[in-house]
Amino acid sequence: MSAAAKGATAVGPALGLAAPPSVDSGSGTRAAGQGDERVIDRRSADDEAIAAMSDAERAALWRQRLHEAEAGLTRFLVARGPAADLKAWFGLKAEIFADLPMSSTHASAAWQRIFFRGQALMERFLVSRYGEGILADWAASIAEVHRTVEPDRDGGAADPVRRIARQAELYGSQYRVHVAEGSGPAAVASVNITHCAIWDYREQARSNGVRLTLASPCTYCTKAMSANVRAKGYEVSYQLREDRSGHGCHWEATAPDTAPNTAPNTAQEA
């Protein structure tokens, strides 16, 4: 799930508003294991394939995420017309793309560092000028870029769910992918993240002196992932959870013609 902490150019974790202590639900959220999907008590073939991503594949995903975020911010500023602070934006871009990795050795770790630095700088740029509420507009702009640059893999609803799982894998999160059985592209798919390692990263960063501007990664992350799934043409619902295992979440993508009649999004953000 995406994002970084604020603070100078120090690499930091994702920013977002605090998750509530129990369950935070997106529209039409169903609990894990409910519905037509077959929940199995072992890693699925999807899980194994995602975990087997090579270092080069992981580096490519970090680069794509940085591209989506930076191009999304460019779109956001274009939409603001003459009000955009271009001098500050050009200076920020110079910082974002400074010291790019020149070697393929340990490329994933190097591009992860670049992504976190860029995410931190872009979040600081936006929040300091427009406030936390503007993150939803940025997420919507990123989703328009994501619509174009994220390949369609003919998996139906499983495609956006696998993208969420791939991001979870980058952080070392614990997750399980579920795809509704049947031939052809999936109409329903979900991923259950039982332990979100973004939170672990944030706490490590906090202990290393990184100043976190927002209380948790969840609000920005939920806005960004929801926008991405919708940009690909699917309905999306989510739950945020917190228990003794730590923080986690459950995401479900549904093809529009199979989506249940659900109430508006009632997620609580605090």
Side-chain angles (χ1 to χ4, degrees):
M1 307 181 190
S2 45
K6 296 286 187 288
T9 58
V11 176
L15 299 179
L17 299 180
S22 55
V23 174
D24 179 10
S25 302
S27 62
T29 302
R30 287 187 277 176
Q34 185 176 350
D36 298 328
E37 60 186 351
R38 179 170 60 94
V39 180
I40 51 180
D41 191 25
R42 59 180 170 81
R43 288 176 69 85
S44 68
D46 269 323
D47 298 335
E48 298 293 350
I50 293 167
M53 283 192 298
S54 67
D55 189 73
E57 290 172 324
R58 292 168 187 264
L61 184 52
W62 283 121
R63 287 193 297 270
Q64 182 177 329
R65 294 186 65 198
L66 178 61
H67 174 48
E68 290 172 354
E70 183 273 332
L73 186 45
T74 296
R75 286 179 59 94
F76 169 85
L77 292 173
V78 168
R80 297 194 71 82
D85 187 347
L86 295 182
K87 181 178 179 180
W89 173 227
F90 294 151
L92 180 67
K93 290 182 72 169
E95 290 188 76
I96 291 171
F97 295 115
D99 305 320
L100 295 181
M102 301 300 292
S103 170
S104 60
T105 304
H106 305 301
S108 178
W111 280 103
Q112 180 178 5
R113 177 181 62 82
I114 296 297
F115 170 80
F116 278 124
R117 181 180 67 188
Q119 183 77 16
L121 290 168
M122 286 183 279
E123 287 182 349
R124 166 181 277 193
F125 178 88
L126 284 169
V127 173
S128 65
R129 284 166 173 77
Y130 310 111
E132 296 172 6
I134 208 66
L135 295 177
D137 295 333
W138 183 32
S141 293
I142 291 172
E144 289 304 309
V145 179
H146 174 83
R147 186 201 308 273
T148 300
V149 303
E150 176 67 15
D152 291 324
R153 307 175 194 273
D154 300 321
D159 284 353
V161 161
R162 288 171 182 141
R163 166 61 188 260
I164 294 172
R166 289 169 69 214
Q167 291 186 195
E169 175 64 30
L170 288 180
Y171 297 104
S173 298
Q174 298 172 13
Y175 61 90
R176 184 171 295 150
V177 173
H178 307 292
V179 179
E181 295 184 12
S183 60
V188 181
S190 65
V191 57
N192 190 40
I193 300 174
T194 55
H195 182 89
C196 177
I198 299 175
W199 284 83
D200 301 337
Y201 182 87
R202 285 173 55 87
E203 290 311 307
Q204 181 180 4
R206 192 195 309 275
S207 66
N208 290 334
V210 175
R211 177 170 57 86
L212 303 182
T213 302
L214 303 179
S216 89
C218 293
T219 293
Y220 171 75
C221 194
T222 55
K223 290 181 189 304
M225 291 197 296
S226 295
N228 282 353
V229 175
R230 292 188 185 106
K232 285 297 186 177
Y234 297 92
E235 303 294 334
V236 61
S237 61
Y238 65 86
Q239 288 182 324
L240 301 182
R241 299 167 177 167
E242 181 182 356
D243 55 28
R244 288 177 296 177
S245 298
H247 296 272
C249 52
H250 178 82
W251 288 86
E252 183 173 279
T254 309
D257 56 350
T258 58
N261 183 19
T262 59
N265 194 328
T266 57
Q268 297 296 315
E269 296 172 356

